[in-house]
Amino acid sequence: MNQKVIFNDYIDERVMIKKHGNTEFCNPNMLEINPTVGCQFQCQYCNAYTQEKEDKFDEVIVYKNYPKYLEQYILDNREEVKNKFFYFSPKVDAFQQVLIDTGILKQILEIFLKYQVKYFILTKGKLLPPDIAELLVKSREINQIIISCAMPNEIVRQKLEVCAPTIEERLALAKFATDNGIVTTAIFAPILPIKNLDFVKDYIVKYLAMGITHFRVDFTEVSRESLGKIVKILPEYKEELEKIYYDKDAVQTKWNIPFSDPPKFITRYWPSLTYMRQVCCNMESFATSINPKATISICNSISIMRMLGNVNKKANECGFCCIGARFK
């Protein structure tokens, strides 16, 4: 899918640094940075660009001066950032090619290292150029990588994560990070409720072998419009997906579509609490049967619901918040 790349010299309100929080239950110590609006990976379930009738992948707006803006923000807020973590990036992917090619990714990582501010990167990315990889390794005392990979196979990955790196490329990035002492966790996002979820257990086995012991479970959360588009792409799973998401007990959430002006709220759906509880318990039991130190987390807004109990308790005690970021 072709995209227009637009370069902005100024920083507008959409990408200004702010506290990250999709719900009132989000950890208050995360500051999000998004140096682009739009993402080159073009995942067909994206919570920012695919939840309405029309997808919004036509263009990627790159903020050329974002590194300078970030550095000035750190200088102006030195005391605040000592106790915060930068989330790079919740609405785009930090390792998309345009940020590598323009040098913006490298500049941002250099700033983090220079000022010794803590950050984590949640990514579907692959192995990086040597200069960027070296920066990540040099920053291993202040950074963390969260690998996002949950597609049941490469065929589905090609259909839903159109321009994202392959499954094997992401696993190679995870191994690079763990081999070099970078704190690394995994997020299964989004989990498609299909095929008995045995593919998630396969990922857990591979990650545990690398030394990764924390897993964030993140079920596909979709609007009706988004679900309709997904089942057109994956008609072979239409019956399974609609059974879960049209269930009368499916959990409804109100979602503020990112970058929308004025703010726009839509209804999205998770699987039922009963379904999510069963999956979380099964995944935790499976992971801890291999490594007792393994932990599972899920969105705080679900964890506190009585049906699920305190799913995140063990993870929190080990220093991980619901998204899988290390806050110790």
Side-chain angles (χ1 to χ4, degrees), residues 244-271:
I244 291 291
Y245 288 103
Y246 282 104
D247 187 297
K248 63 180 179 61
D249 294 322
V251 176
Q252 295 185 33
T253 63
K254 290 296 181 184
W255 178 250
N256 182 7
I257 297 176
F259 302 129
S260 59
D261 185 24
K264 185 181 295 185
F265 291 86
I266 60 171
T267 300
R268 297 203 299 169
Y269 296 85
W270 263 315

PDB file of all heavy atoms in Angstrom, residues 244-271:
ATOM      1  N   ILE A 244     -17.414 -14.687  19.038  1.00  0.00           N
ATOM      2  CA  ILE A 244     -16.825 -14.042  20.217  1.00  0.00           C
ATOM      3  C   ILE A 244     -17.305 -12.603  20.362  1.00  0.00           C
ATOM      4  O   ILE A 244     -17.721 -12.176  21.445  1.00  0.00           O
ATOM      5  CB  ILE A 244     -15.283 -14.061  20.120  1.00  0.00           C
ATOM      6  CG1 ILE A 244     -14.755 -15.481  20.274  1.00  0.00           C
ATOM      7  CG2 ILE A 244     -14.653 -13.131  21.166  1.00  0.00           C
ATOM      8  CD1 ILE A 244     -14.913 -16.075  21.655  1.00  0.00           C
ATOM      9  N   TYR A 245     -17.269 -11.840  19.273  1.00  0.00           N
ATOM     10  CA  TYR A 245     -17.504 -10.397  19.382  1.00  0.00           C
ATOM     11  C   TYR A 245     -18.971  -9.994  19.315  1.00  0.00           C
ATOM     12  O   TYR A 245     -19.316  -8.874  19.710  1.00  0.00           O
ATOM     13  CB  TYR A 245     -16.682  -9.653  18.323  1.00  0.00           C
ATOM     14  CG  TYR A 245     -15.215  -9.668  18.671  1.00  0.00           C
ATOM     15  CD1 TYR A 245     -14.324 -10.519  18.014  1.00  0.00           C
ATOM     16  CD2 TYR A 245     -14.725  -8.875  19.704  1.00  0.00           C
ATOM     17  CE1 TYR A 245     -12.988 -10.553  18.361  1.00  0.00           C
ATOM     18  CE2 TYR A 245     -13.401  -8.905  20.061  1.00  0.00           C
ATOM     19  CZ  TYR A 245     -12.531  -9.752  19.393  1.00  0.00           C
ATOM     20  OH  TYR A 245     -11.200  -9.795  19.755  1.00  0.00           O
ATOM     21  N   TYR A 246     -19.831 -10.900  18.858  1.00  0.00           N
ATOM     22  CA  TYR A 246     -21.262 -10.616  18.908  1.00  0.00           C
ATOM     23  C   TYR A 246     -21.922 -11.295  20.099  1.00  0.00           C
ATOM     24  O   TYR A 246     -23.150 -11.245  20.248  1.00  0.00           O
ATOM     25  CB  TYR A 246     -21.944 -11.040  17.603  1.00  0.00           C
ATOM     26  CG  TYR A 246     -21.719 -10.059  16.472  1.00  0.00           C
ATOM     27  CD1 TYR A 246     -20.814 -10.340  15.453  1.00  0.00           C
ATOM     28  CD2 TYR A 246     -22.397  -8.845  16.428  1.00  0.00           C
ATOM     29  CE1 TYR A 246     -20.591  -9.442  14.420  1.00  0.00           C
ATOM     30  CE2 TYR A 246     -22.189  -7.940  15.405  1.00  0.00           C
ATOM     31  CZ  TYR A 246     -21.279  -8.248  14.403  1.00  0.00           C
ATOM     32  OH  TYR A 246     -21.066  -7.336  13.389  1.00  0.00           O
ATOM     33  N   ASP A 247     -21.130 -11.908  20.925  1.00  0.00           N
ATOM     34  CA  ASP A 247     -21.644 -12.498  22.161  1.00  0.00           C
ATOM     35  C   ASP A 247     -22.310 -11.407  23.005  1.00  0.00           C
ATOM     36  O   ASP A 247     -21.799 -10.290  23.102  1.00  0.00           O
ATOM     37  CB  ASP A 247     -20.477 -13.120  22.945  1.00  0.00           C
ATOM     38  CG  ASP A 247     -20.943 -13.904  24.169  1.00  0.00           C
ATOM     39  OD1 ASP A 247     -21.526 -13.282  25.077  1.00  0.00           O
ATOM     40  OD2 ASP A 247     -20.704 -15.123  24.223  1.00  0.00           O
ATOM     41  N   LYS A 248     -23.430 -11.729  23.624  1.00  0.00           N
ATOM     42  CA  LYS A 248     -24.156 -10.735  24.427  1.00  0.00           C
ATOM     43  C   LYS A 248     -23.339 -10.259  25.626  1.00  0.00           C
ATOM     44  O   LYS A 248     -23.596  -9.179  26.177  1.00  0.00           O
ATOM     45  CB  LYS A 248     -25.488 -11.313  24.910  1.00  0.00           C
ATOM     46  CG  LYS A 248     -25.363 -12.502  25.833  1.00  0.00           C
ATOM     47  CD  LYS A 248     -26.722 -13.024  26.262  1.00  0.00           C
ATOM     48  CE  LYS A 248     -26.619 -14.237  27.185  1.00  0.00           C
ATOM     49  NZ  LYS A 248     -25.895 -13.933  28.436  1.00  0.00           N
ATOM     50  N   ASP A 249     -22.335 -11.042  26.021  1.00  0.00           N
ATOM     51  CA  ASP A 249     -21.510 -10.661  27.165  1.00  0.00           C
ATOM     52  C   ASP A 249     -20.180 -10.038  26.764  1.00  0.00           C
ATOM     53  O   ASP A 249     -19.319  -9.796  27.626  1.00  0.00           O
ATOM     54  CB  ASP A 249     -21.233 -11.890  28.045  1.00  0.00           C
ATOM     55  CG  ASP A 249     -22.500 -12.418  28.703  1.00  0.00           C
ATOM     56  OD1 ASP A 249     -23.340 -11.588  29.106  1.00  0.00           O
ATOM     57  OD2 ASP A 249     -22.647 -13.654  28.806  1.00  0.00           O
ATOM     58  N   ALA A 250     -19.995  -9.780  25.479  1.00  0.00           N
ATOM     59  CA  ALA A 250     -18.756  -9.118  25.044  1.00  0.00           C
ATOM     60  C   ALA A 250     -18.613  -7.786  25.777  1.00  0.00           C
ATOM     61  O   ALA A 250     -19.595  -7.052  25.973  1.00  0.00           O
ATOM     62  CB  ALA A 250     -18.778  -8.899  23.536  1.00  0.00           C
ATOM     63  N   VAL A 251     -17.413  -7.485  26.210  1.00  0.00           N
ATOM     64  CA  VAL A 251     -17.161  -6.274  26.991  1.00  0.00           C
ATOM     65  C   VAL A 251     -17.103  -5.060  26.059  1.00  0.00           C
ATOM     66  O   VAL A 251     -16.346  -5.045  25.093  1.00  0.00           O
ATOM     67  CB  VAL A 251     -15.838  -6.384  27.774  1.00  0.00           C
ATOM     68  CG1 VAL A 251     -15.536  -5.082  28.515  1.00  0.00           C
ATOM     69  CG2 VAL A 251     -15.906  -7.549  28.757  1.00  0.00           C
ATOM     70  N   GLN A 252     -17.906  -4.047  26.366  1.00  0.00           N
ATOM     71  CA  GLN A 252     -17.917  -2.821  25.581  1.00  0.00           C
ATOM     72  C   GLN A 252     -17.031  -1.764  26.242  1.00  0.00           C
ATOM     73  O   GLN A 252     -17.021  -1.622  27.463  1.00  0.00           O
ATOM     74  CB  GLN A 252     -19.333  -2.264  25.456  1.00  0.00           C
ATOM     75  CG  GLN A 252     -20.285  -3.151  24.691  1.00  0.00           C
ATOM     76  CD  GLN A 252     -21.637  -2.493  24.485  1.00  0.00           C
ATOM     77  OE1 GLN A 252     -21.732  -1.269  24.348  1.00  0.00           O
ATOM     78  NE2 GLN A 252     -22.688  -3.290  24.450  1.00  0.00           N
ATOM     79  N   THR A 253     -16.286  -1.030  25.417  1.00  0.00           N
ATOM     80  CA  THR A 253     -15.467   0.067  25.925  1.00  0.00           C
ATOM     81  C   THR A 253     -15.674   1.297  25.047  1.00  0.00           C
ATOM     82  O   THR A 253     -16.011   1.177  23.866  1.00  0.00           O
ATOM     83  CB  THR A 253     -13.965  -0.285  25.928  1.00  0.00           C
ATOM     84  OG1 THR A 253     -13.537  -0.513  24.577  1.00  0.00           O
ATOM     85  CG2 THR A 253     -13.697  -1.535  26.756  1.00  0.00           C
ATOM     86  N   LYS A 254     -15.485   2.464  25.622  1.00  0.00           N
ATOM     87  CA  LYS A 254     -15.531   3.706  24.868  1.00  0.00           C
ATOM     88  C   LYS A 254     -14.100   4.106  24.530  1.00  0.00           C
ATOM     89  O   LYS A 254     -13.250   4.172  25.412  1.00  0.00           O
ATOM     90  CB  LYS A 254     -16.218   4.822  25.673  1.00  0.00           C
ATOM     91  CG  LYS A 254     -17.712   4.609  25.860  1.00  0.00           C
ATOM     92  CD  LYS A 254     -18.447   4.646  24.513  1.00  0.00           C
ATOM     93  CE  LYS A 254     -19.948   4.465  24.705  1.00  0.00           C
ATOM     94  NZ  LYS A 254     -20.656   4.415  23.402  1.00  0.00           N
ATOM     95  N   TRP A 255     -13.836   4.368  23.269  1.00  0.00           N
ATOM     96  CA  TRP A 255     -12.476   4.610  22.802  1.00  0.00           C
ATOM     97  C   TRP A 255     -12.386   5.979  22.146  1.00  0.00           C
ATOM     98  O   TRP A 255     -13.171   6.317  21.260  1.00  0.00           O
ATOM     99  CB  TRP A 255     -12.082   3.534  21.798  1.00  0.00           C
ATOM    100  CG  TRP A 255     -10.721   3.681  21.200  1.00  0.00           C
ATOM    101  CD1 TRP A 255     -10.429   4.022  19.906  1.00  0.00           C
ATOM    102  CD2 TRP A 255      -9.463   3.500  21.849  1.00  0.00           C
ATOM    103  NE1 TRP A 255      -9.065   4.059  19.712  1.00  0.00           N
ATOM    104  CE2 TRP A 255      -8.445   3.740  20.892  1.00  0.00           C
ATOM    105  CE3 TRP A 255      -9.098   3.152  23.156  1.00  0.00           C
ATOM    106  CZ2 TRP A 255      -7.092   3.646  21.206  1.00  0.00           C
ATOM    107  CZ3 TRP A 255      -7.754   3.054  23.460  1.00  0.00           C
ATOM    108  CH2 TRP A 255      -6.763   3.299  22.494  1.00  0.00           C
ATOM    109  N   ASN A 256     -11.424   6.771  22.604  1.00  0.00           N
ATOM    110  CA  ASN A 256     -11.146   8.070  21.996  1.00  0.00           C
ATOM    111  C   ASN A 256     -10.149   7.847  20.862  1.00  0.00           C
ATOM    112  O   ASN A 256      -8.995   7.509  21.102  1.00  0.00           O
ATOM    113  CB  ASN A 256     -10.566   9.020  23.050  1.00  0.00           C
ATOM    114  CG  ASN A 256     -10.310  10.402  22.481  1.00  0.00           C
ATOM    115  OD1 ASN A 256     -10.669  10.704  21.353  1.00  0.00           O
ATOM    116  ND2 ASN A 256      -9.675  11.252  23.269  1.00  0.00           N
ATOM    117  N   ILE A 257     -10.589   7.998  19.637  1.00  0.00           N
ATOM    118  CA  ILE A 257      -9.738   7.711  18.488  1.00  0.00           C
ATOM    119  C   ILE A 257      -8.547   8.666  18.486  1.00  0.00           C
ATOM    120  O   ILE A 257      -8.724   9.888  18.473  1.00  0.00           O
ATOM    121  CB  ILE A 257     -10.523   7.842  17.176  1.00  0.00           C
ATOM    122  CG1 ILE A 257     -11.654   6.810  17.143  1.00  0.00           C
ATOM    123  CG2 ILE A 257      -9.612   7.661  15.975  1.00  0.00           C
ATOM    124  CD1 ILE A 257     -12.549   6.911  15.944  1.00  0.00           C
ATOM    125  N   PRO A 258      -7.318   8.132  18.518  1.00  0.00           N
ATOM    126  CA  PRO A 258      -6.127   8.991  18.552  1.00  0.00           C
ATOM    127  C   PRO A 258      -6.058   9.932  17.351  1.00  0.00           C
ATOM    128  O   PRO A 258      -6.480   9.598  16.243  1.00  0.00           O
ATOM    129  CB  PRO A 258      -4.968   7.984  18.524  1.00  0.00           C
ATOM    130  CG  PRO A 258      -5.544   6.733  19.093  1.00  0.00           C
ATOM    131  CD  PRO A 258      -6.961   6.706  18.610  1.00  0.00           C
ATOM    132  N   PHE A 259      -5.518  11.118  17.592  1.00  0.00           N
ATOM    133  CA  PHE A 259      -5.280  12.149  16.586  1.00  0.00           C
ATOM    134  C   PHE A 259      -6.572  12.721  16.000  1.00  0.00           C
ATOM    135  O   PHE A 259      -6.524  13.455  15.016  1.00  0.00           O
ATOM    136  CB  PHE A 259      -4.398  11.619  15.441  1.00  0.00           C
ATOM    137  CG  PHE A 259      -3.062  11.094  15.878  1.00  0.00           C
ATOM    138  CD1 PHE A 259      -2.626   9.840  15.474  1.00  0.00           C
ATOM    139  CD2 PHE A 259      -2.231  11.846  16.690  1.00  0.00           C
ATOM    140  CE1 PHE A 259      -1.382   9.353  15.864  1.00  0.00           C
ATOM    141  CE2 PHE A 259      -0.995  11.363  17.091  1.00  0.00           C
ATOM    142  CZ  PHE A 259      -0.569  10.119  16.680  1.00  0.00           C
ATOM    143  N   SER A 260      -7.728  12.399  16.566  1.00  0.00           N
ATOM    144  CA  SER A 260      -8.984  12.935  16.031  1.00  0.00           C
ATOM    145  C   SER A 260      -9.214  14.346  16.570  1.00  0.00           C
ATOM    146  O   SER A 260      -8.990  14.626  17.741  1.00  0.00           O
ATOM    147  CB  SER A 260     -10.163  12.027  16.395  1.00  0.00           C
ATOM    148  OG  SER A 260     -10.291  11.886  17.797  1.00  0.00           O
ATOM    149  N   ASP A 261      -9.641  15.228  15.698  1.00  0.00           N
ATOM    150  CA  ASP A 261      -9.900  16.621  16.071  1.00  0.00           C
ATOM    151  C   ASP A 261     -11.160  17.090  15.358  1.00  0.00           C
ATOM    152  O   ASP A 261     -11.162  17.208  14.128  1.00  0.00           O
ATOM    153  CB  ASP A 261      -8.701  17.496  15.698  1.00  0.00           C
ATOM    154  CG  ASP A 261      -8.858  18.932  16.171  1.00  0.00           C
ATOM    155  OD1 ASP A 261      -9.624  19.150  17.129  1.00  0.00           O
ATOM    156  OD2 ASP A 261      -8.226  19.822  15.571  1.00  0.00           O
ATOM    157  N   PRO A 262     -12.254  17.353  16.100  1.00  0.00           N
ATOM    158  CA  PRO A 262     -12.367  17.281  17.557  1.00  0.00           C
ATOM    159  C   PRO A 262     -12.343  15.826  18.042  1.00  0.00           C
ATOM    160  O   PRO A 262     -12.463  14.899  17.227  1.00  0.00           O
ATOM    161  CB  PRO A 262     -13.719  17.935  17.828  1.00  0.00           C
ATOM    162  CG  PRO A 262     -14.509  17.681  16.587  1.00  0.00           C
ATOM    163  CD  PRO A 262     -13.510  17.746  15.457  1.00  0.00           C
ATOM    164  N   PRO A 263     -12.186  15.617  19.359  1.00  0.00           N
ATOM    165  CA  PRO A 263     -12.148  14.246  19.894  1.00  0.00           C
ATOM    166  C   PRO A 263     -13.362  13.443  19.457  1.00  0.00           C
ATOM    167  O   PRO A 263     -14.491  13.947  19.437  1.00  0.00           O
ATOM    168  CB  PRO A 263     -12.141  14.473  21.413  1.00  0.00           C
ATOM    169  CG  PRO A 263     -11.540  15.829  21.583  1.00  0.00           C
ATOM    170  CD  PRO A 263     -12.021  16.637  20.406  1.00  0.00           C
ATOM    171  N   LYS A 264     -13.115  12.187  19.096  1.00  0.00           N
ATOM    172  CA  LYS A 264     -14.196  11.330  18.617  1.00  0.00           C
ATOM    173  C   LYS A 264     -14.171  10.019  19.397  1.00  0.00           C
ATOM    174  O   LYS A 264     -13.146   9.357  19.490  1.00  0.00           O
ATOM    175  CB  LYS A 264     -14.022  11.057  17.123  1.00  0.00           C
ATOM    176  CG  LYS A 264     -15.164  10.256  16.500  1.00  0.00           C
ATOM    177  CD  LYS A 264     -14.889  10.007  15.029  1.00  0.00           C
ATOM    178  CE  LYS A 264     -14.861  11.279  14.228  1.00  0.00           C
ATOM    179  NZ  LYS A 264     -14.715  11.006  12.762  1.00  0.00           N
ATOM    180  N   PHE A 265     -15.311   9.655  19.979  1.00  0.00           N
ATOM    181  CA  PHE A 265     -15.417   8.427  20.764  1.00  0.00           C
ATOM    182  C   PHE A 265     -16.258   7.405  20.012  1.00  0.00           C
ATOM    183  O   PHE A 265     -17.280   7.745  19.418  1.00  0.00           O
ATOM    184  CB  PHE A 265     -16.043   8.715  22.138  1.00  0.00           C
ATOM    185  CG  PHE A 265     -15.156   9.509  23.043  1.00  0.00           C
ATOM    186  CD1 PHE A 265     -15.149  10.895  22.989  1.00  0.00           C
ATOM    187  CD2 PHE A 265     -14.312   8.874  23.950  1.00  0.00           C
ATOM    188  CE1 PHE A 265     -14.328  11.636  23.822  1.00  0.00           C
ATOM    189  CE2 PHE A 265     -13.492   9.602  24.790  1.00  0.00           C
ATOM    190  CZ  PHE A 265     -13.495  10.990  24.726  1.00  0.00           C
ATOM    191  N   ILE A 266     -15.795   6.161  20.040  1.00  0.00           N
ATOM    192  CA  ILE A 266     -16.546   5.077  19.430  1.00  0.00           C
ATOM    193  C   ILE A 266     -16.640   3.930  20.425  1.00  0.00           C
ATOM    194  O   ILE A 266     -15.907   3.888  21.420  1.00  0.00           O
ATOM    195  CB  ILE A 266     -15.886   4.571  18.136  1.00  0.00           C
ATOM    196  CG1 ILE A 266     -14.469   4.053  18.426  1.00  0.00           C
ATOM    197  CG2 ILE A 266     -15.880   5.637  17.062  1.00  0.00           C
ATOM    198  CD1 ILE A 266     -13.839   3.341  17.243  1.00  0.00           C
ATOM    199  N   THR A 267     -17.520   2.984  20.143  1.00  0.00           N
ATOM    200  CA  THR A 267     -17.642   1.785  20.975  1.00  0.00           C
ATOM    201  C   THR A 267     -16.804   0.674  20.362  1.00  0.00           C
ATOM    202  O   THR A 267     -16.886   0.402  19.158  1.00  0.00           O
ATOM    203  CB  THR A 267     -19.111   1.321  21.067  1.00  0.00           C
ATOM    204  OG1 THR A 267     -19.888   2.365  21.651  1.00  0.00           O
ATOM    205  CG2 THR A 267     -19.226   0.065  21.930  1.00  0.00           C
ATOM    206  N   ARG A 268     -15.980   0.066  21.213  1.00  0.00           N
ATOM    207  CA  ARG A 268     -15.196  -1.101  20.778  1.00  0.00           C
ATOM    208  C   ARG A 268     -15.549  -2.276  21.686  1.00  0.00           C
ATOM    209  O   ARG A 268     -16.119  -2.113  22.762  1.00  0.00           O
ATOM    210  CB  ARG A 268     -13.692  -0.814  20.834  1.00  0.00           C
ATOM    211  CG  ARG A 268     -13.263   0.281  19.901  1.00  0.00           C
ATOM    212  CD  ARG A 268     -11.796   0.174  19.548  1.00  0.00           C
ATOM    213  NE  ARG A 268     -10.920   0.275  20.705  1.00  0.00           N
ATOM    214  CZ  ARG A 268      -9.615   0.001  20.678  1.00  0.00           C
ATOM    215  NH1 ARG A 268      -9.050  -0.407  19.559  1.00  0.00           N
ATOM    216  NH2 ARG A 268      -8.872   0.129  21.765  1.00  0.00           N
ATOM    217  N   TYR A 269     -15.154  -3.483  21.234  1.00  0.00           N
ATOM    218  CA  TYR A 269     -15.545  -4.702  21.940  1.00  0.00           C
ATOM    219  C   TYR A 269     -14.342  -5.587  22.213  1.00  0.00           C
ATOM    220  O   TYR A 269     -13.487  -5.795  21.349  1.00  0.00           O
ATOM    221  CB  TYR A 269     -16.575  -5.482  21.111  1.00  0.00           C
ATOM    222  CG  TYR A 269     -17.870  -4.741  20.930  1.00  0.00           C
ATOM    223  CD1 TYR A 269     -17.999  -3.806  19.896  1.00  0.00           C
ATOM    224  CD2 TYR A 269     -18.956  -4.957  21.769  1.00  0.00           C
ATOM    225  CE1 TYR A 269     -19.181  -3.103  19.713  1.00  0.00           C
ATOM    226  CE2 TYR A 269     -20.136  -4.259  21.595  1.00  0.00           C
ATOM    227  CZ  TYR A 269     -20.247  -3.329  20.568  1.00  0.00           C
ATOM    228  OH  TYR A 269     -21.411  -2.630  20.402  1.00  0.00           O
ATOM    229  N   TRP A 270     -14.299  -6.105  23.444  1.00  0.00           N
ATOM    230  CA  TRP A 270     -13.402  -7.182  23.832  1.00  0.00           C
ATOM    231  C   TRP A 270     -14.223  -8.472  23.896  1.00  0.00           C
ATOM    232  O   TRP A 270     -15.468  -8.426  23.979  1.00  0.00           O
ATOM    233  CB  TRP A 270     -12.838  -6.929  25.222  1.00  0.00           C
ATOM    234  CG  TRP A 270     -11.478  -6.303  25.291  1.00  0.00           C
ATOM    235  CD1 TRP A 270     -10.378  -6.634  24.568  1.00  0.00           C
ATOM    236  CD2 TRP A 270     -11.086  -5.234  26.163  1.00  0.00           C
ATOM    237  NE1 TRP A 270      -9.312  -5.843  24.943  1.00  0.00           N
ATOM    238  CE2 TRP A 270      -9.712  -4.986  25.915  1.00  0.00           C
ATOM    239  CE3 TRP A 270     -11.743  -4.478  27.142  1.00  0.00           C
ATOM    240  CZ2 TRP A 270      -8.999  -4.002  26.602  1.00  0.00           C
ATOM    241  CZ3 TRP A 270     -11.033  -3.503  27.820  1.00  0.00           C
ATOM    242  CH2 TRP A 270      -9.675  -3.273  27.545  1.00  0.00           C
ATOM    243  N   PRO A 271     -13.580  -9.629  23.936  1.00  0.00           N
ATOM    244  CA  PRO A 271     -14.316 -10.856  24.263  1.00  0.00           C
ATOM    245  C   PRO A 271     -14.938 -10.751  25.655  1.00  0.00           C
ATOM    246  O   PRO A 271     -14.626  -9.827  26.427  1.00  0.00           O
ATOM    247  CB  PRO A 271     -13.233 -11.938  24.219  1.00  0.00           C
ATOM    248  CG  PRO A 271     -12.170 -11.381  23.329  1.00  0.00           C
ATOM    249  CD  PRO A 271     -12.169  -9.901  23.595  1.00  0.00           C
TER     250      PRO A 271
END
